[in-house]
Amino acid sequence: MTLEELVEQFARNVAAQTDAIHRGDSRTGNKHAKQYTAALQALRAQGDTGRDALAVLMKHPRTDVRAMAAGFLLRYRTAEAKAVLEAAAKEGGVGALDAIMTLRHWENGTWALDPE
């Protein structure tokens, strides 16, 4: 799978998980979480090239996708990722909750979404 395909898989499944959560369908949400996690792991295996590919999602039209990508890129692109998360935190919804929690973990030193 190309980097672009992995990025698309990540975005598509983050969005699908959020939609499933809104429907109260945790089983489907968990299925999509496994799929975006697999895409993320494949991107991480490419090192900074994979992180650069994922970074395009910080400009995605959906808040949940932007916030999820930013959360995984905090160590790599701190200023840009924090700005995305802070904006998402103000928008409300599932993406806002994730953004708030991610920022809280970053600030108190317990963030560990992208180990070195």
Side-chain angles (χ1 to χ4, degrees), residues 18-116:
T18 301
D19 295 344
I21 289 169
H22 284 293
R23 292 190 310 272
D25 184 356
S26 62
R27 178 173 284 161
T28 299
N30 289 339
K31 178 187 88 165
H32 289 294
K34 288 178 185 174
Q35 291 176 353
Y36 78 68
T37 300
L40 178 66
Q41 289 172 344
L43 287 165
R44 279 187 184 150
Q46 300 299 313
D48 288 348
T49 302
R51 288 179 184 89
D52 286 337
L54 183 63
V56 303
L57 293 180
M58 289 196 288
K59 296 182 190 291
H60 194 274
R62 285 185 62 139
T63 302
D64 53 344
V65 174
R66 285 193 311 271
M68 187 71 73
F72 288 111
L73 293 168
L74 266 169
R75 182 178 57 80
Y76 182 65
R77 291 201 177 181
T78 305
E80 184 181 359
K82 279 182 72 175
V84 168
L85 289 166
E86 288 165 354
K90 295 176 184 172
E91 290 185 28
V94 174
L97 181 59
D98 289 342
I100 290 165
M101 294 308 297
T102 300
L103 286 167
R104 185 171 295 154
H105 288 293
W106 178 258
E107 290 165 6
N108 70 21
T110 59
W111 175 91
L113 296 177
D114 187 18
E116 292 185 64

